Amino acid sequence: NAGVTQTPKFQVLKTGQSMTLQCAQDMNHEYMSWYRQDPGMGLRLIHYSVGAGITDQGEVPNGYNVSRSTTEDFPLRLLSAAPSQTSVYFCASSHRVGQGLNQPQHFGDGTRLSIL
Amino acid sequence: AQSVTQLGSHVSVSEGALVLLRCNYSSSVPPYLFWYVQYPNQGLQLLLKYTTGATLVKGINGFEAEFKKSETSFHLTKPSAHMSDAAEYFCAVSVGGKLIFGQGTELSVKP
């Protein structure tokens, strides 16, 4: 049971380049989300999804795009990379019971992204 | 809008001393509350959670937290710190289907 798998683990981009961070889970979780972690700011929610075909914005969605075509996969796309997007990105997933989010999140190991 | 405030970005304790990490939340409805721990170069792991029921919640590794609605707090405690507790700790609140994290508190444990 692999849990939540993020690829790549490290990436360096030039300003203006685009790329996709991959996230896959094998636990049949309905809820998936992307966070960025920056020093002193905790984790900030970028986008989330409550099921295949449904996505919504979090706290800091600008410059990022997501889609959820399957239950297992939730890729995060950087449309035109900027130095301000240098960060560690975490994907997380969980079951979703009712309307609330009361189940523990399972986190991937993160993608460390540097934008030059 | 809901938010989470962790008081103190860095806490240092001696081995064997009490650990107290503070978390206050703001929410217009009863929240679900979580504490997560992050070891260096790893993702986050769940320590404990409060959803409903008993307000004193016990978690892994000897940690516990008490939900105090009147104080809008969910402080994390451990009676006796161990060197292996050194990590970053995050409080999080879930309201309306989203999980919002506090800024994090780095815990150092001195021998």
Side-chain angles (χ1 to χ4, degrees), chain A residues 30-74:
Chain A
E30 302 86 359
Y31 183 90
M32 296 186 74
S33 56
W34 276 101
Y35 293 88
R36 60 176 290 173
Q37 183 178 21
D38 302 290
M41 304 189 75
L43 279 79
R44 291 181 292 169
L45 182 64
I46 305 172
H47 285 286
Y48 65 101
S49 168
V50 298
I54 305 170
T55 64
D56 207 346
Q57 296 182 349
E59 304 170 82
V60 289
N62 292 340
Y64 306 96
N65 204 356
V66 292
S67 60
R68 184 96 180 268
S69 56
T70 67
T71 299
E72 296 77 17
D73 300 299
F74 192 45

Side-chain angles (χ1 to χ4, degrees), chain B residues 9-63:
Chain B
S9 59
H10 188 265
V11 171
S12 181
V13 301
S14 297
E15 192 172 18
L18 172 72
V19 175
L20 171 60
L21 304 182
R22 299 177 187 273
C23 173
N24 288 87
Y25 69 91
S26 65
S27 174
S28 57
V29 297
Y32 300 129
L33 296 161
F34 303 82
W35 275 99
Y36 286 85
V37 61
Q38 184 182 34
Y39 299 102
N41 299 315
Q42 294 185 24
L44 279 69
Q45 304 170 32
L46 180 72
L47 271 179
L48 49 80
K49 67 173 184 175
Y50 169 79
T51 53
T52 58
T55 55
L56 182 62
V57 181
K58 295 187 184 300
I60 61 171
N61 301 336
F63 284 93

Side-chain angles (χ1 to χ4, degrees), chain A:
Chain A
N1 196 345
V4 178
T5 303
Q6 290 185 237
T7 56
K9 295 190 182 304
F10 303 93
Q11 184 71 47
V12 179
L13 291 178
K14 294 181 179 178
T15 297
Q17 287 185 315
S18 63
M19 81 160 293
T20 299
L21 307 185
Q22 302 291 343
C23 176
Q25 52 91 8
D26 60 1
M27 297 169 283
N28 201 30
H29 285 165
E30 302 86 359
Y31 183 90
M32 296 186 74
S33 56
W34 276 101
Y35 293 88
R36 60 176 290 173
Q37 183 178 21
D38 302 290
M41 304 189 75
L43 279 79
R44 291 181 292 169
L45 182 64
I46 305 172
H47 285 286
Y48 65 101
S49 168
V50 298
I54 305 170
T55 64
D56 207 346
Q57 296 182 349
E59 304 170 82
V60 289
N62 292 340
Y64 306 96
N65 204 356
V66 292
S67 60
R68 184 96 180 268
S69 56
T70 67
T71 299
E72 296 77 17
D73 300 299
F74 192 45
L76 177 72
R77 298 181 186 84
L78 277 70
L79 308 173
S80 177
S84 61
Q85 294 179 304
T86 293
S87 188
V88 181
Y89 291 84
F90 287 100
C91 179
S93 72
S94 73
H95 284 301
R96 185 167 177 262
V97 179
Q99 295 300 311
L101 193 63
N102 58 9
Q103 301 300 305
Q105 296 297 304
H106 296 253
F107 283 83
D109 288 335
T111 294
R112 285 150 184 79
L113 184 61
S114 292
I115 315 295
L116 305 178

